[in-house]
Amino acid sequence: MIPLISLHHSSFQSCPPQIPTRNRLFKQNHFPGDRRDTIQSRSCRRGADSIKCYSGDLRSEEMSSEEDRIAKIASTIRVIPDFPKPGIIFQDITTLLLDPKAFKDTIDLFVERYKDKDISVVAGVEARGFIFGPPVALAIGAKFVPLRKPNKLPGEVIREEYSLEYGTDVMEMHVEAVNAGERAIIMDDLVATGGTLCAAIKLLERVEVQVVECACVIELPELKGRDRLGNKPLFVLIKAV
Amino acid sequence: MSVSASDGEDDPRIVTIKEKIRVVPDFPKPGIMFQDITTLLLEPVAFKNTIDLFVERYKDRNIAVVAGIEARGFIFGPPIALAIGAKFVPLRKPKKLPGEVISEEYVLEYGSDCLEMHVGAVEQSECALVVDDLVATGGTLCAAVNLLERAGAEVVECACVIEVPDLKGREKLKGKPLYILVEAH
């Protein structure tokens, strides 16, 4: 098995320049209380293909700083098997929130990406999107708009129904929170099937907001949420296999 | 219903914050005047000022933990935690947190509810702050304080944007300090 660290370096050197997306693939084999150090401790069952690293237009020292931060962030996320039901491997970001440096780095990585993009709205999906969205909104000078479960928002709302594995759910937004033509990002902790993010995009687009990108800490690529979002860009820090 | 600054000080930031809070009558049910902070969140300067007021108060008090109550405490707690270098600990409705939790039941007007926290999120003797958008009867804040103290933390203060003083939440906290920015009468 190829050790992860040399895999990292070889893929880094062979990266084509000027690709804007930076994603990082980590296999997570974490248990509660396990805070082993980042890259060296990880094993990667799938070998070379599973580490994807793209160069943007950052200098090499900036890029290694970004990768270092992402590696550290990934190491703080706790994986809980069989929650909320058997067969589901739950990606628990609450352990990330217990590490002030990792939490700050998480926010900084999003802020660095969005601060000069003329974003006036950060929409966050209840409830874990409420943890990441507001700090990003504050740092880039945007409004924060909560997207909520039914009957939580007072006053006039618009609703979007979306499918769950069994049944449906509803997401609501205040009609007057946003103006036509505003540029928005949507934030949540994790994207799985993409159903929730799709509903959020629809809500904003129904009132003529331009959704520039969806931003999550973690993606579960096997659940193909990215495909479900179609041509809507998705930015994540970590892909979990 | 009027919203006034908490201690008569005319910090200009508090004046703006109170103006941005929307009062929605008869929500979630007739007779309740709902204090809606979502309109505050739409004003970047006022939202930043809200956080700054709390950060200025807590940054040199050795606070290791900011605990926020689901869900609106998740909006105010994390920015404060980030600014003062503390952990953020979410206090959640039942069955949302994975892994091992401790639970605290508390009384509602009709029936009861439950708040949960992860085991191991806080350590013995850590100084903690509890944050929520609003304190009314104090039931939720009390449950939050209990959870943290059962885990061995020392709750230094509870911090909310709004207090509804007529509902006497402050008394329910039995001397645990409560800091708020605006009162709703």
Side-chain angles (χ1 to χ4, degrees):
Chain A
M1 182 169 61
I2 301 167
L4 199 71
I5 194 134
S6 64
L7 200 71
H8 160 76
H9 287 306
S10 63
S11 61
F12 183 97
Q13 284 153 15
S14 64
C15 284
Q18 304 303 323
I19 294 176
T21 307
R22 287 193 56 81
N23 289 309
R24 191 73 193 185
L25 198 71
F26 286 93
K27 178 196 171 287
Q28 297 179 337
N29 52 3
H30 243 21
F31 295 96
D34 183 346
R35 293 281 184 276
R36 288 175 297 172
D37 185 60
T38 59
I39 298 176
Q40 281 95 336
S41 66
R42 297 199 175 283
S43 60
C44 182
R45 288 194 192 130
R46 294 187 182 178
D49 289 342
S50 60
I51 298 296
K52 291 186 173 57
C53 154
Y54 298 95
S55 61
D57 47 7
L58 296 174
R59 295 177 313 216
S60 60
E61 55 268 29
E62 285 173 336
M63 288 167 68
S64 59
S65 163
E66 182 175 318
E67 287 170 0
D68 289 343
R69 286 184 289 171
I70 292 177
K72 168 69 173 168
I73 290 162
S75 76
T76 63
I77 294 166
R78 175 170 75 154
V79 178
I80 308 242
D82 301 320
F83 184 88
K85 54 186 195 185
I88 305 225
I89 311 278
F90 189 88
Q91 303 287 328
D92 181 17
I93 51 87
T94 66
T95 41
L96 186 170
L97 308 175
L98 297 180
D99 185 323
K101 170 92 176 33
F103 186 18
K104 181 181 185 304
D105 286 344
T106 304
I107 299 303
D108 286 350
L109 285 160
F110 292 117
V111 170
E112 285 159 24
R113 183 175 181 84
Y114 297 116
K115 65 181 167 111
D116 297 317
K117 301 273 188 349
D118 220 0
I119 307 282
S120 60
V121 176
V122 174
V125 180
E126 174 167 13
R128 290 185 289 261
F130 287 10
I131 295 174
F132 297 97
V136 173
L138 285 160
I140 69 175
K143 313 179 200 180
F144 178 70
V145 176
L147 305 178
R148 297 211 67 174
K149 302 288 187 194
N151 307 314
K152 302 292 185 81
L153 290 171
E156 199 186 349
V157 296
I158 52 172
R159 300 163 46 95
E160 184 73 27
E161 197 168 332
Y162 61 103
S163 301
L164 299 172
E165 191 182 5
Y166 298 106
T168 60
D169 207 342
V170 173
M171 182 184 290
E172 294 184 344
M173 181 177 81
H174 273 138
V175 286
E176 289 168 12
V178 294
N179 301 308
E182 287 201 272
R183 289 164 55 82
I185 59 169
I186 300 171
M187 295 201 69
D188 206 353
D189 64 324
L190 180 144
V191 50
T193 62
T196 313
L197 278 182
C198 265
I201 292 167
K202 286 186 186 150
L203 268 179
L204 287 160
E205 291 186 337
R206 274 166 58 191
V207 288
E208 296 177 66
V209 167
Q210 182 192 352
V211 177
V212 170
E213 195 159 81
C214 295
C216 301
V217 181
I218 305 163
E219 177 186 4
L220 303 183
E222 288 167 359
L223 297 178
K224 304 196 190 308
R226 199 173 279 268
D227 293 344
R228 191 151 173 194
L229 295 183
N231 60 1
K232 195 58 71 181
L234 169 65
F235 174 74
V236 302
L237 302 183
I238 293 159
K239 296 187 183 187
V241 289
Chain B
M1 172 175 291
S2 69
V3 181
S4 59
S6 64
D7 53 6
E9 273 181 30
D10 282 306
D11 185 320
R13 293 177 292 177
I14 293 185
V15 172
T16 317
I17 289 163
K18 79 184 183 196
E19 281 170 11
K20 301 301 179 188
I21 295 165
R22 175 172 73 155
V23 181
V24 183
D26 300 320
F27 184 90
K29 54 186 196 188
I32 306 227
M33 301 295 277
F34 188 88
Q35 302 290 324
D36 182 16
I37 48 89
T38 65
T39 41
L40 172 64
L41 309 176
L42 299 181
E43 303 286 340
V45 172
F47 184 19
K48 182 179 184 305
N49 286 340
T50 306
I51 300 304
D52 286 350
L53 282 158
F54 290 119
V55 170
E56 286 160 21
R57 183 175 178 84
Y58 297 117
K59 65 182 166 108
D60 297 317
R61 301 218 356 217
N62 212 37
I63 307 244
V65 175
V66 173
I69 299 177
E70 172 168 16
R72 289 184 290 262
F74 289 8
I75 295 173
F76 296 98
I80 296 168
L82 286 160
I84 69 175
K87 312 184 217 183
F88 178 70
V89 174
L91 304 181
R92 298 210 68 175
K93 302 287 187 195
K95 302 191 177 34
K96 300 294 186 78
L97 291 171
E100 204 186 346
V101 297
I102 54 172
S103 289
E104 180 79 15
E105 202 170 333
Y106 62 103
V107 173
L108 297 172
E109 188 181 8
Y110 298 105
S112 65
D113 206 340
C114 204
L115 210 56
E116 294 186 341
M117 181 174 80
H118 270 139
V119 168
V122 303
E123 290 169 33
Q124 193 72 28
S125 305
E126 284 192 308
C127 288
L129 200 60
V130 179
V131 175
D132 206 354
D133 66 322
L134 179 145
V135 51
T137 63
T140 319
L141 273 186
C142 254
V145 169
N146 289 343
L147 270 177
L148 287 158
E149 291 186 339
R150 280 166 55 195
E154 184 195 329
V155 177
V156 167
E157 196 155 84
C158 297
C160 301
V161 181
I162 306 162
E163 177 186 11
V164 184
D166 291 349
L167 296 177
K168 304 194 194 308
R170 210 174 269 271
E171 285 172 30
K172 192 138 184 190
L173 291 175
K174 297 199 207 79
K176 188 61 70 179
L178 170 65
Y179 174 72
I180 54 117
L181 302 183
V182 302
E183 289 181 358
H185 295 279

